[in-house]
Amino acid sequence: MRSLVAFLLGLILGGLGMLFLPDPRRDELNAEVRKQTEALQTQVHQFGDQLKTLTLPKPEEKASPSPTSSPAQ
């Protein structure tokens, strides 16, 4: 619940800040956020491509289905 309130408060403060910031500074912030968003999108696409080519090892027939623990000494 606190995180939701903090998120909403951040949105409200961010919106108010954008209303009262001078236009050049607002444009700088928009450009910076756009660069960061594009970089994040590129990383997400690369991660998706890695997941597409990922091959999981097949379980062996003789392997036990659950890990066994060694007895404590």
Side-chain angles (χ1 to χ4, degrees):
M1 185 68 180
R2 283 186 197 169
S3 59
L4 178 62
V5 171
F7 176 72
L8 292 175
L9 184 61
L11 284 177
I12 292 168
L13 291 176
L16 289 174
M18 292 303 282
L19 286 175
F20 294 109
L21 280 175
D23 285 338
R25 179 67 179 141
R26 190 179 321 157
D27 293 338
E28 288 175 24
L29 286 174
N30 284 339
E32 184 177 325
V33 169
R34 191 174 305 118
K35 287 178 191 176
Q36 292 175 356
T37 304
E38 289 172 358
L40 183 61
Q41 284 178 340
T42 302
Q43 290 175 352
V44 168
H45 284 289
Q46 289 173 350
F47 182 66
D49 292 340
Q50 288 177 356
L51 286 178
K52 287 178 186 176
T53 60
L54 180 69
T55 55
L56 297 175
K58 295 186 180 184
E60 296 178 16
E61 298 273 338
K62 297 179 183 178
S64 61
S66 61
T68 58
S69 61
S70 59
Q73 295 181 0

